[in-house]
Each structure stands twice: as structure tokens, then as C-alpha cells.
Amino acid sequence: MQTCPKCGAPLEQVYSPEGISEKCPQCDYHHDELADLLAQTDFEKDELTPIDRLSASQRRHYMLSMTMTLKLMTILEGLLVLCTLISLLFRNALISYIFLGVVLVIAVYLIHGYLNIRRRLGLDSEEQEMIIIDMLNQDYQMKLLSEKHKTKLGCSLAYLKYLRTLKKEGLPYRFKTDPLYHDRIMSRVRKETNMNRRIEIQNYKNTIASLYSQREETLKRLKASMFKDYGYHVAISFKLGIVIINGHEYRFDEINSAEMMNHVYDDEEEVVIKDGYFKAPEDFNVLPHSQDAMNKHDKVTYDEESGVYKHYAFVEPVTEMKKVKRCDAMNIIVETYNGKEIIPIIDQMMDVTTPAYIAKQNDCYNVTGGLRRVARAGMPKQIPDLLADKQVAKLSEDMEKTQDQLIQLLKTPVVYKVPEEYREKE
């Protein structure tokens, strides 16, 4: 078991959805190797290539730029037009027709070239990047060749030789000699490799969170099986030495006392000794208009056969006032180490002679008795270790193994391999 580097006390393992860390119970020391490694591992910002840094206007500028061949053809077209005009000036028809034919051929080529420039704007971003890389690589190669060859013609011939070699050797030669193309391929490799590493790390983190959730559910189930529910938000475990009151958890030695408070008072209510009844009916030829002649509870019906109204006089019931006892509050007051907990049993008015009140009173005696037993018992001598349960131990072990694998992965440097098609054959 590892010890605290500050105070030397044994470290405790702390389980969380993010993993297992170590904490000192006697000081503020806390060590989380996994969190430290994850903080050092940043794949969110992949390295940008020079092509990625180009703005939209710069990309459009390259798309509309002419190639070297198109530039040469444009110059040649101008020279031929000039020669055609000169030949016409000296009235040499044959030479004029020859120059004019060549001018038309070159004009068709130039029109095709200009249309091709416009077509580039409709290409997707990847195809546009390849065109820009070709242009930038041409500038780069010409700059290198200018250091070896003094004349532009020598540079141009050497560049044509480079293009023939590039076509012959293929992708490995271009990957080796074209730095922008090299950066583009390796940028793609880095992004794919980093994405795969992110997915692998996230899978490990999801597995750790799932194992932690299963472990916590198992612990809750085991713990709940050791509690007796007394109702009224009170549960007691005499095996664990824990009592739960109103959602708050206390050790047995943190409960001082439990007292029952019952608010009973005297009251009066009206009791019916003799029920009211209707007298025999009296006949009326017409409905009486005087309200004084009738009681508000009297009934009057019309007999169609005899054609008379029948009046049923109501005799009021006989009542008397009777003394009763009522309860409007019954609580249990629990004295804890840091205050009080109030457990409400009755919070509305009830007659103490009713079966409902007697049932509540019995519940109150039962809960109070259990809490008083808790206050007297103290902590049990042997408390079962829930972490020693086979299922919990297996989940803890799986969680530790998964975290160790993730830590080992984070410590392993990321290797960006050159794709097979870009490697030179040995």
C-alpha cells in the first residue's frame, strides 16, 4: 500500500466515473495519475500545413494563375502575331499564311488553357489543394535548380528532367522531393492517427465509467439489503451501524436520543341522539303561499289522483354536545451529534378514538423504539465489508485493469507511420 508523501499515512483509493485516484485521509494530498496524463494529452489541435493556412483569396489567386507553359504560349502567340503583321507589311503572302495558321493553333490551345483555369474554381477543395501544391512545388524546385544552373534555360531543362523522373518514380519520389506534398500526406496521417487514438481513449473512459456505475449499483443493492425500513423516511441497519433519517445518514454513535411528541387536546362535537323524521302528510287543496307555515326541510308533493298537495312536515333531530380528544401533531424528535431531526407522523387533525389514529400511534411507538435502541446500542463490533463482496471485488479489479491499460496507452508515444504507397522500395 502506498503512503502519503506529506504525512506518511496510508493512501485510500477513491472511485469515480473518471477512474481511480488516491487520497490521504489525514491531509489534503490527492494524486490522480490518469487525470494528469489526460491533461498532458492534447489531440484537439492538429498541426496545420502551409496549404491549410492559405486564405480564400489566396487560394483563388492560385486557381486563376497561369502555368509556365501557358505563359510561354501567350508570349509566343504575341511574337507570331507581330511576325504576321510584318510579313503582311512586306506583302509576303506565303509566310503570312504560315504564321497565321500557327497563330490560330496556338490560339485554340490558349482558349483551352483559359477555360481550364476557370474550370479549376469548380473543383473540390482536395483537387484545388493538389493544383496549388503543384504550383508551389514548381516554384520551390526552380529555386533549388537556380542555385545549380546560372541560366533560366538550364533551370527549365533541369525542371523538365525532374518532371520526367517524377513521372517515372511515382509517389515515393514526390513524397521525398516535394515538401508541401510531404506535409499534406503526413498531416492526413496525423489527423487519422490522432482520431483513432481519441476513439481508443474514449472507449477506455466509457468502459471505466460503466464499470464504476455497475460497482455503485451493486454496493447500493448490498447496502439496501441490510436495512430495515421503518417507514416515515427512517431506515436502520444494525449490521452496518447506520441509521437513515429524512435522507441523512448517521452512525449509531451519532444518535443521542429519540423522544415522541404528541399534541392531544380536548374538544367538543355535536352528537345526534335521535334522528330527524317526516310526519304523516297533510292535504292541501292549493299550495300554501306562506313560508312561515313550512319548515325549510319540509317536502310538498302533488297527488294527481286526488288533486291535492301533500305536505310532509320534518321533525328536527335531537342532538347534544359531547367532549372528545383530538390530535393535530405527532412527531419524533431525534437528538443527533450536530442538531435535531424531526420525523412527522401526524400533520393533520385526527380523533384519538379512530382506528387511523391508533395505527399512527403504533407506528410512532415502533419508530421511536427502533431509534432508542440505536441510541443505546452504539456501533457494532464487527461491520461487514461490502467491498469484499465477490461481485464488487470483481468490478473493482476490472476497473483497475482497464485504468492501467489506459495509462499504458497514454504513456506510449504516438507513431505516425508513412503509408505504404509513399515508401521507397528497398
Side-chain angles (χ1 to χ4, degrees), residues 108-120:
V108 172
Y109 177 83
L110 289 176
I111 292 172
H112 179 269
Y114 289 128
L115 291 176
N116 187 50
I117 291 176
R118 298 296 301 177
R119 184 186 62 84
R120 293 177 189 172

Side-chain angles (χ1 to χ4, degrees), residues 11-131:
L11 295 177
E12 295 179 352
Q13 286 187 326
V14 179
Y15 287 78
S16 70
E18 289 74 30
I20 306 171
S21 59
E22 295 173 333
K23 183 180 179 181
C24 179
Q26 298 183 10
C27 66
D28 59 350
Y29 177 77
H30 184 261
H31 176 60
D32 193 340
E33 183 181 7
L34 178 58
D36 294 340
L37 289 173
L38 288 172
Q40 298 171 9
T41 306
D42 184 14
F43 293 115
E44 296 303 322
K45 295 181 180 179
D46 293 314
E47 184 179 351
L48 297 177
T49 63
I51 302 299
D52 297 328
R53 298 190 185 96
L54 291 177
S55 63
S57 60
Q58 290 174 321
R59 287 173 178 266
R60 183 177 178 85
H61 170 73
Y62 281 112
M63 288 295 99
L64 296 177
S65 299
M66 292 189 295
T67 60
M68 180 180 291
T69 305
L70 200 60
K71 290 179 181 179
L72 292 175
M73 286 296 181
T74 304
I75 296 172
L76 182 60
E77 177 84 350
L79 293 175
L80 289 174
V81 170
L82 180 62
C83 293
T84 303
L85 294 175
I86 294 174
S87 62
L88 289 174
L89 183 64
F90 288 98
R91 298 183 179 181
N92 191 332
L94 179 61
I95 296 176
S96 299
Y97 288 138
I98 293 174
F99 283 154
L100 184 59
V102 176
V103 166
L104 292 175
V105 172
I106 296 176
V108 172
Y109 177 83
L110 289 176
I111 292 172
H112 179 269
Y114 289 128
L115 291 176
N116 187 50
I117 291 176
R118 298 296 301 177
R119 184 186 62 84
R120 293 177 189 172
L121 298 176
L123 300 176
D124 57 37
S125 59
E126 186 172 352
E127 292 175 325
Q128 289 184 1
E129 286 183 4
M130 289 303 302
I131 294 174

Side-chain angles (χ1 to χ4, degrees), residues 260 330-332 345 359-369:
M260 173 181 170
M330 182 183 293
N331 300 315
I332 301 174
I345 306 297
K360 291 282 187 180
Q361 190 178 45
N362 291 335
D363 291 343
C364 187
Y365 287 143
N366 185 37
V367 177
T368 305

Side-chain angles (χ1 to χ4, degrees), residues 285-328:
N285 292 328
V286 294
L287 185 65
H289 296 285
S290 175
Q291 296 296 328
D292 297 335
M294 297 179 62
N295 189 286
K296 61 180 180 180
H297 297 295
D298 292 355
K299 293 193 300 184
V300 176
T301 62
Y302 178 71
D303 189 352
E304 295 183 355
E305 294 181 0
S306 60
V308 297
Y309 291 94
K310 293 185 178 293
H311 173 227
Y312 296 85
F314 181 73
V315 179
E316 296 289 342
V318 180
T319 62
E320 69 175 8
M321 298 304 295
K322 181 182 177 181
K323 292 185 177 181
V324 295
K325 288 185 178 294
R326 300 187 190 279
C327 174
D328 61 359

Side-chain angles (χ1 to χ4, degrees), residues 243 245 250-259 333-341 371-378:
V243 57
I245 304 173
Y250 298 94
R251 291 160 47 96
F252 278 11
D253 53 8
E254 295 175 341
I255 303 298
N256 298 328
S257 64
E259 299 296 335
I333 310 299
V334 183
E335 294 283 349
T336 66
Y337 75 103
N338 63 346
K340 293 181 180 180
E341 288 281 359
L371 292 172
R372 286 176 177 174
R373 181 184 170 190
V374 166
R376 292 192 304 267

Side-chain angles (χ1 to χ4, degrees), residues 237-242 252 377-384:
S237 172
F238 289 96
K239 292 182 178 180
L240 299 175
I242 296 175
F252 278 11
M379 293 299 294
K381 294 181 179 179
Q382 291 185 346
I383 299 177

